Amino acid sequence: GENESYVGASPCEAELQELVHQIDIMVNRKQVEWESKMRALEAKMDIQDQELASAQSKLDQKGQEVGLLQQELENLQKTKNEMAQSYETQLQALKSQVRKIVIIQNFQSPHLVYSDVRLHKLSFIIFIWK
């Protein structure tokens, strides 16, 4: 009885082995297909990483340029303020000199006559002072 059941199971075993063999082939095909897709995706990701790194580099460069331009603008503003302060100081000194000249002129004798050049300079100074 046992021999018969073993012999009877043999074609079934052969069928199972064939089925397992077919499944192995299908799984191997799928594995090759998946690996190929994975490699393609990895290559695509590598390209995107490079593009991202390039964009980041350009962004950093632009950031540095903006920083330099801001520094330049601050320097120009500082220079402008210093020049304005210098002009203001010079103007105050000029006004002070004009006041002194006017006071001296008022206290001096009316017969004192300035040369044409001196009068011209004085009238120009007074014009600026107004």
Side-chain angles (χ1 to χ4, degrees), residues 55-101:
Q56 185 65 52
S57 171
K58 284 177 186 168
L59 192 62
D60 290 346
Q61 189 182 340
K62 292 293 176 196
Q64 287 175 351
E65 285 173 19
V66 167
L68 288 171
L69 287 171
Q70 281 177 334
Q71 186 66 48
E72 208 174 309
L73 186 64
E74 284 170 21
N75 291 344
L76 284 170
Q77 191 65 45
K78 189 178 170 190
T79 303
K80 182 183 151 195
N81 291 344
E82 286 169 357
M83 284 173 69
Q85 188 62 47
S86 172
Y87 287 143
E88 185 61 35
T89 304
Q90 288 177 32
L91 186 63
Q92 292 305 324
L94 200 59
K95 284 181 181 180
S96 174
Q97 285 178 345
V98 169
R99 283 191 201 104
K100 283 178 191 168
I101 291 169

Side-chain angles (χ1 to χ4, degrees), residues 24-82:
D24 279 348
I25 290 170
M26 284 166 54
V27 167
N28 284 339
R29 277 187 197 148
K30 275 291 172 194
Q31 187 177 354
V32 168
E33 193 181 313
W34 288 336
E35 284 172 354
S36 173
K37 283 182 181 177
M38 282 293 289
R39 279 195 299 273
L41 283 172
E42 283 171 357
K44 195 174 180 183
M45 280 176 63
D46 285 346
I47 290 167
Q48 287 177 341
D49 283 349
Q50 286 172 2
E51 287 172 352
L52 189 63
S54 173
Q56 185 65 52
S57 171
K58 284 177 186 168
L59 192 62
D60 290 346
Q61 189 182 340
K62 292 293 176 196
Q64 287 175 351
E65 285 173 19
V66 167
L68 288 171
L69 287 171
Q70 281 177 334
Q71 186 66 48
E72 208 174 309
L73 186 64
E74 284 170 21
N75 291 344
L76 284 170
Q77 191 65 45
K78 189 178 170 190
T79 303
K80 182 183 151 195
N81 291 344
E82 286 169 357

Side-chain angles (χ1 to χ4, degrees), residues 1-9:
E2 286 178 2
N3 275 355
E4 283 178 35
S5 68
Y6 178 75
V7 171

